[in-house]
Amino acid sequence: MTEGEHRLITIPFSHYCEKARWALDRSGVAFREEGHLPLFHYLANRRAGAGRTVPVLVYPGGLIGDSTEIIAFADAARPGALLPTDAAVRADAVGLEDDFDRHLGPATRRWAYFQMLARPDLDTYVARGVPGWQVRALRLSRPLAIAFLKRSLRIDAAGAARSKAKIDDTFEQVSELLRDGRRFLVGDRFSVADLTFAALSAPVLAPAGHPFALPPPSDLGPVAHDQIEAWRATRAGRFALRMYAEERRAVAGAPAGRVAR
Ligand SMILES: N[C@@H](CCC(=O)N[C@@H](CS)C(=O)NCC(=O)O)C(=O)O
């Protein structure tokens, strides 16, 4: 790593990784992304001295292994870009972030994995942005990765149904917040709350503008297709899609953005 370079270890399609990536992009922190397939990311994490999960940001002064802390790091580079400067607004924004991290994130991940795991034909979506040798190894590693994911994330029909209910619940709460016509979840500008809701909803909305395209609903079975369209049509769903259209794309090509992906 050259001096001053920041490296983001990811599973590219992971929504917590997208949360960190979007924050770094938004704050103009240049970084090189190092993507891995699930399981292979352990090797990279271990080499970097990090724990089990991604995203991990490795920077010249140390490393950060949590998306919420990466957001704080990114905001420090451009104060106010993500964390509102007003203390009360900031507390509301961080409170929503925490709630989405705990409830929405695990639910959208479980629901989307449940749709994808039985579909090796969709592997191209998970194989983007990772080394070729890992993709070639996927034929062999897939059963192991699936068994591991199913066990560790309890991915089964009952789990997917519980997750759907949780997603419905969060979407209803967010729709309720937006009912008064506000353009952002808290305050009068884009914040960590909007970013986290949009990024963690991405697995069940497949928004245009996501840097690693997720399977379009038309590629999934009719039940999943109809469910995604239903979530997209809610006030909360339309809001998340707008965040991608207006706030993600606007900064994706900004000169201060990432070095390479
Ligand atoms: N609290 C963490 C959660 C990140 C997380 O759950 N990452 C998943 C990928 S979506 C992961 O690395 N899972 C591997 C494992 O738990 O062993 C954060 O916000 O960064």
Side-chain angles (χ1 to χ4, degrees):
M1 205 164 67
T2 56
E3 202 189 332
E5 188 176 74
H6 293 47
R7 181 163 62 103
L8 188 68
I9 304 173
T10 67
I11 295 170
F13 62 87
S14 142
H15 54 349
Y16 289 101
C17 294
E18 164 63 359
K19 181 186 163 205
R21 177 194 295 125
W22 188 346
L24 294 169
D25 281 343
R26 182 89 191 177
S27 299
V29 177
F31 64 97
R32 182 168 58 82
E33 180 162 346
E34 186 192 306
H36 298 276
L37 285 176
L39 296 186
F40 292 99
H41 75 280
Y42 288 134
L43 297 171
N45 277 20
R46 178 185 270 247
R47 239 182 292 131
R52 291 172 61 93
T53 63
V54 286
V56 173
L57 178 68
V58 185
Y59 64 100
L63 69 88
I64 309 176
D66 181 80
S67 67
T68 297
E69 290 173 31
I70 293 172
I71 293 228
F73 178 94
D75 187 75
R78 187 175 289 171
L82 298 162
L83 299 173
T85 43
D86 178 272
V89 181
R90 183 184 183 126
D92 284 350
V94 169
L96 280 177
E97 177 196 17
D98 188 52
D99 184 67
F100 298 145
D101 277 349
R102 282 169 198 261
H103 302 112
L104 181 65
T108 55
R109 174 171 59 196
R110 186 177 296 109
W111 190 88
Y113 264 136
F114 182 68
Q115 315 304 323
M116 299 273 297
L117 286 186
R119 297 282 305 271
D121 55 312
L122 298 179
D123 277 358
T124 44
Y125 290 99
V126 303
R128 298 211 170 111
V130 306
W133 67 269
Q134 290 182 15
V135 180
R136 289 190 291 280
L138 186 59
R139 262 195 23 216
L140 295 172
S141 69
R142 197 174 198 281
L144 195 66
I146 288 183
F148 169 80
L149 288 168
K150 276 190 171 160
R151 207 183 53 235
S152 61
L153 300 175
R154 297 190 307 279
I155 295 169
D156 50 35
R162 276 196 309 277
S163 295
K164 178 206 169 295
K166 273 196 181 161
I167 298 165
D168 284 342
D169 208 41
T170 305
F171 271 44
E172 269 164 34
Q173 287 168 27
V174 168
S175 292
E176 194 50 44
L177 265 182
L178 296 166
R179 192 173 296 280
D180 60 10
R182 64 181 74 186
R183 292 195 56 76
F184 300 102
L185 291 177
V186 292
D188 53 8
R189 45 184 297 210
F190 182 80
S191 79
V192 62
D194 309 304
L195 183 155
T196 304
F197 180 67
L200 297 189
S201 299
V204 302
L205 295 176
H210 192 290
F212 291 93
L214 301 156
S218 52
D219 275 15
L220 300 170
V223 176
H225 170 277
D226 292 353
Q227 180 58 70
I228 292 175
E229 291 300 349
W231 277 324
R232 281 179 169 181
T234 64
R235 198 184 291 269
R238 292 198 307 275
F239 171 76
L241 296 175
R242 181 168 67 78
M243 289 302 102
Y244 264 95
E246 294 179 2
E247 306 294 337
R248 185 73 172 107
R249 284 183 167 169
V251 291
R258 71 194 77 90
V259 175
R261 179 160 295 156

